[in-house]
Amino acid sequence: MDKIFKKYHPMTETAFYILFSLTEPRHGYGIIKNIEALTNGRLKLGSGTIYGTLMKMQTDGLIVLFSDEERKTIYEMTTLGQQILQQEMQRIKELHDHIIQFEEGKQ
Amino acid sequence: MDKIFKKYHPMTETAFYILFSLTEPRHGYGIIKNIEALTNGRLKLGSGTIYGTLMKMQTDGLIVLFSDEERKTIYEMTTLGQQILQQEMQRIKELHDHIIQFEEGKQ
DNA sequence: TCGACTATATCACGATGTGACATATTATTG
DNA sequence: CAATAATATGTCACATCGTGATATAGTCGA
């Protein structure tokens, strides 16, 4: 299990936003649109990115199938996924702190 | 020039910390130690990472040679490098904002 | 009916970080 | 003084990752 935590530390921006989108159950295409909305159109994921990442995260136990309808494969986060998301959010806060400290030091 | 901005957007954590370390002139080994100190030993860059990245950033005009002594090759940031660092810091703030909003929404 | 949108999947490609290996100097410590 | 750790740079093969092209197919509005 520890190996998985290292594997996702740090995460890429793309992987983070995908996992972050799964704080509620969503399907691939829905995640793409959610990220596009969150970032005001800045981040548009390619199909290879989303389906490849979802498969990898499923293999690693970060997410599981929530429902598998005809044309919608919906995923939800596992407890492990939540822990890894938490770890990543902590890391981003660390980055943010460094930036704030730097900006304060400039004045 | 616009191409370079896209190339470094988003940056990896590693690339960010390297550029961030060059807010004052430093050499490769010094950058490694600076990042290690900043992150409390969490992030230890391999030699391939640091010298490869420095060469790439020099080619792209983000950094230039500051002084080239016998055993220390010191770099400093260019104006372009500062602009790209600024862009990246803005992106991290965006990430941070999303996290804060999420945490507020949970209560 | 025709195009736009929704939806999933695969694959080759380029870019990137990593760690091993190599090499050499300097400082410390027993 | 000799051994060891720390400083310092560099190269290379390897694995991982995001991207965009390509493919396929259903739905919905004009």
Side-chain angles (χ1 to χ4, degrees), chain A residues 12 14 47-49 53 56 71:
Chain A
T12 58
T14 301
S47 56
T49 307
T53 304
K56 203 193 61 173
R71 297 200 340 110

Side-chain angles (χ1 to χ4, degrees), chain B residues 7 12 14-15 45 47-49 53 56 71:
Chain B
K7 184 173 175 180
T12 60
T14 302
L45 302 194
S47 55
T49 306
T53 305
K56 202 194 61 169
R71 294 196 346 105

Side-chain angles (χ1 to χ4, degrees), chain A residues 85-101:
Chain A
L85 180 62
Q86 203 57 47
Q87 170 188 251
E88 180 63 11
M89 293 195 298
Q90 211 47 53
R91 188 187 68 84
I92 292 167
K93 283 181 186 175
E94 183 191 290
L95 277 171
H96 188 257
D97 284 352
H98 288 143
I99 291 170
I100 297 301
Q101 278 165 38

